[in-house]
Amino acid sequence: MSAMGDNIDNLTARVADSGITNGTVGQGEEAVDSTNADIVTPWTVQTSSAAGVDYTKLIRLFGSQPIEDDLLRKFEQVTGKSMPPLLRRKIFFSHRDLDQILNTYANGKPFYLYTGRGPSSDAMHLGHLIPFLFTKQLQEIFDVPLIIQLTDDEKFLWKDLTLEKANELAYENAKDIIAVGFDPEKTFIFSDLDFMAQEPSFYWNILRVQKSVTYSQAKGVFGFTESDHIGKVGFPAVQAVPSFCSTFPFIFGDRKDIPCLVPCGIDQDPYFRVTRDVAPKLGFRKPALLHSGFIPSLQGAQTKMSASDPNSSVYLTDTNKQIRDKINKYAFSGGQQTLEEHREKGGNCDVDVSYQYLRFFLDDDERLEQIKQDYSSGKMLTGELKKELITVLQKLVEDHKERRAAVTPETVKLFMTRRKLKFDYPAPAKTK
Amino acid sequence: MSAMGDNIDNLTARVADSGITNGTVGQGEEAVDSTNADIVTPWTVQTSSAAGVDYTKLIRLFGSQPIEDDLLRKFEQVTGKSMPPLLRRKIFFSHRDLDQILNTYANGKPFYLYTGRGPSSDAMHLGHLIPFLFTKQLQEIFDVPLIIQLTDDEKFLWKDLTLEKANELAYENAKDIIAVGFDPEKTFIFSDLDFMAQEPSFYWNILRVQKSVTYSQAKGVFGFTESDHIGKVGFPAVQAVPSFCSTFPFIFGDRKDIPCLVPCGIDQDPYFRVTRDVAPKLGFRKPALLHSGFIPSLQGAQTKMSASDPNSSVYLTDTNKQIRDKINKYAFSGGQQTLEEHREKGGNCDVDVSYQYLRFFLDDDERLEQIKQDYSSGKMLTGELKKELITVLQKLVEDHKERRAAVTPETVKLFMTRRKLKFDYPAPAKTK
């Protein structure tokens, strides 16, 4: 997972952050598309377009697959359930082997979900919440185990932070994640710093991955330079191994064949490209991936969020008043300069941050479409659009705060204890 | 610790091995002295001189301190005991901060010993045994805790070996080490692969070291190339952290100030150069070092030992007959071609492997000096010299086999259990 101060806020737990603080800007040049200068790496997401990163180009560059309507139809067919809005709206826009995971599920075979978060600050914001909301929907649809990795080690390696503080943040963030409403019988959350001293398979699998990746390969994928410390060079293996079920023998027993689906931000793809490359060499299954795009900062998709600027995002600790003021004052508007002009030409939903946020947080498709039509036609004004968003966000944050307050240390411990979940994994039959 | 097939056998647990099997020959060019082409790195020890590596040049190159007579006098003065023969004979020929350790001891302050071994094959040979014999003598003189690291993770990373096999070898080697006669109340032995999942401080300190060492520095010290895998790049931190007492809170409590003395082969110095460089930045004590030279292979100091050639060394599993045959047939002789010539010119002890081995294994100084005079003068013949060595080695190996056979799995478990030793470390007084 990622590191450093926030950059463009993304909707993923595997969050993209700015590399400015320690000079890593410019890493990952291989992912720079010179025609529009988008930069997408696990540590830097940067674009000069108000509409945000060009995802079509990114899919070409990364060599992943676009989410197409056929696949979405197959999703609903196989699951018999309606899909999460973020998938329907193609905010999760790209994948690797999602079709195979659907086949696995259709055949009654097991798989599991893995996502994670680099714990970066006490107060998580909206962008940090979405991937967990999404993953929870996936877990409910498929009824599978979910593994959540908190990369406190990574945060120590990339940020100016003590190990103690990074570990503390992992536990604080765990409370927010738990508040999303996960089922402790089906969900295992761990801190790397703690888990390393609990589960032998973790370090063993890390070594297996590290032995399979050359410095030259890591440099090519992640853009490491000679002045990067050796902790960074080895770290990709730490994020790789939760993709392998053998890292969790207390959950999956002796099974080596249970595939994994990783919902993550497209900026995290480099980690899993490496993981997918080494998996077959190690006798492990390649993880399947489901990639999301990024949620813009309040100031717009091309504006860098700054950890020192609380007005660039809505925090899960914000009051109703703070939310209202932030949206009214800072949310970048796609509306016209004057009322007359707006009524005549209409607003531009593609760059309007309030409308973009509603795409993430308003589940009602019909209402969203109505807003789009009204705002684009000029019938709806920017103030009215913002009011819609404020109502949605105030409820979301209030509900979250309430649930988070109810999370006790005992609950955290329950989720973070190395234990069997409620699923059984008998040894697979030799034939068939 | 080291890796791969044996090269020149050394007398250290931190054993130097050949890099031939995986193309790492040529690593560590910075330690090549072009005037005599000695190469000394943790993975390669190579010399073209029959008298072995030029240690005076190596001290200059590495920037360590020679063991001088003043320091040896201080050793006996401070300890009130006679020093180990290998120190008296300056086979341990170089150090860093040994004088400070002696001051620490003289002031009644605690320190501890740390050494280790890369478990490489079921059968250890004589060279592998010596550092443990030496360290045991140090431990008895100073009455301090001894930590022994078995770097099974390193062996997996460098050799063509499974993790399971490397871990198994660690336990086999532990039996040989225990058979040297260590006191379980004062000695902790651990396998990296096991200890990582037992002691949180191990991984935490590894991360602290990794964050303090750039790839460029590691490349400079160890000669890594871009085709080396990322496991190698990060590994030096694993060998570094047992130098810090905070890695073992179950032994040293909350103390951060207890210094460490590391007896090791000079080829292992790069690891501890890095360790000493980062220690102050992390608020830890720099480890002191005591460097040994290498024991030659039976064929002589410039001959490479080969894991596939059992005749290049004496194994701790060899029978009396095997020992006799190996020495008689293979031990490189410094004697003359004919009896007449030998009687006239005498033998050359500097290159005679049997004499060199006696320097390591015959504790009686007077007897050793007599042999040297007799052989050098031509009074003693090569066959007679070899007979002396055969007697010494047969007894050594027989005794070792007997003690090893008495080592039960319970004894191994006793030494390798994470536990308090018989030493107490109260929090230091704030003043004085």
Side-chain angles (χ1 to χ4, degrees), chain A residues 152-373:
Chain A
D152 41 9
D153 53 347
E154 182 206 17
K155 285 297 164 179
F156 167 77
L157 291 172
W158 263 264
K159 288 192 88 164
D160 185 17
L161 207 65
T162 63
L163 284 163
E164 289 77 8
K165 182 65 183 173
N167 191 235
E168 191 190 310
L169 291 176
Y171 280 79
E172 282 307 308
N173 284 190
K175 290 182 197 163
D176 281 301
I177 293 166
I178 291 166
V180 169
F182 291 105
D183 181 348
E185 293 196 315
K186 300 178 180 175
T187 308
F188 175 55
I189 305 176
F190 69 97
S191 129
D192 286 345
L193 287 175
D194 296 335
F195 194 48
M196 194 68 76
Q198 291 166 1
E199 176 46 56
S201 301
F202 192 28
Y203 183 55
W204 288 44
N205 276 346
I206 286 168
L207 288 173
R208 290 181 171 114
V209 171
Q210 289 184 332
K211 191 172 175 175
S212 305
V213 180
T214 66
Y215 177 76
S216 173
Q217 290 170 322
K219 183 179 138 184
V221 174
F222 298 104
F224 294 132
T225 68
E226 298 233 333
S227 59
D228 280 318
H229 59 69
I230 60 175
K232 289 186 183 182
V233 177
F235 176 76
V238 177
Q239 185 159 327
V241 301
S243 306
F244 306 137
C245 64
S246 66
T247 301
F248 309 99
F250 50 94
I251 296 175
F252 300 108
D254 290 336
R255 296 285 291 266
K256 303 266 181 288
D257 63 332
I258 299 169
C260 173
L261 172 63
V262 184
C264 66
I266 186 77
D267 59 299
Q268 300 294 312
D269 187 66
Y271 283 117
F272 299 106
R273 242 180 284 156
V274 170
T275 309
R276 287 169 55 88
D277 184 53
V278 303
K281 299 176 198 167
L282 299 175
F284 297 144
R285 300 284 296 258
K286 287 184 182 193
L289 295 171
L290 196 43
H291 298 118
S292 76
F294 309 110
I295 185 171
S297 78
L298 286 178
Q299 285 77 10
Q302 79 277 56
T303 311
K304 276 182 195 155
M305 289 186 72
S306 150
S308 60
D309 180 8
N311 294 322
S312 58
S313 52
V314 173
Y315 287 92
L316 296 175
T317 49
D318 282 349
T319 62
N320 280 343
K321 181 175 182 311
Q322 282 173 315
I323 293 172
R324 191 187 63 222
D325 290 350
K326 277 187 187 181
I327 301 299
N328 280 333
K329 198 161 170 189
Y330 300 108
F332 183 79
S333 170
Q336 304 299 338
Q337 296 289 347
T338 63
L339 178 64
E340 292 69 29
E341 204 186 341
H342 188 81
R343 290 289 188 209
E344 185 196 335
K345 297 184 181 167
N348 179 355
C349 283
D350 289 343
V351 301
D352 188 281
V353 166
S354 301
Y355 175 76
Q356 290 299 323
Y357 273 41
L358 285 173
R359 283 185 73 223
F360 286 92
F361 298 107
L362 179 61
D363 283 354
D364 184 336
D365 282 358
E366 280 179 38
R367 179 72 195 129
L368 185 67
E369 182 56 31
Q370 191 61 51
I371 288 171
K372 186 177 187 179
Q373 286 183 13

Side-chain angles (χ1 to χ4, degrees), chain B residues 33-85:
Chain B
D33 181 335
S34 60
T35 57
N36 68 0
D38 286 351
I39 298 175
V40 177
T41 77
W43 305 282
T44 311
V45 176
Q46 210 172 285
T47 179
S48 54
S49 161
V53 170
D54 183 333
Y55 294 118
T56 311
K57 281 185 182 158
L58 213 53
I59 285 175
R60 250 193 345 259
L61 202 62
F62 280 17
S64 60
Q65 302 297 318
I67 297 279
E68 284 170 346
D69 293 336
D70 277 359
L71 186 63
L72 294 185
R73 271 190 295 274
K74 181 171 174 177
F75 187 102
E76 292 202 314
Q77 206 173 32
V78 160
T79 64
K81 292 169 188 158
S82 70
M83 70 189 95

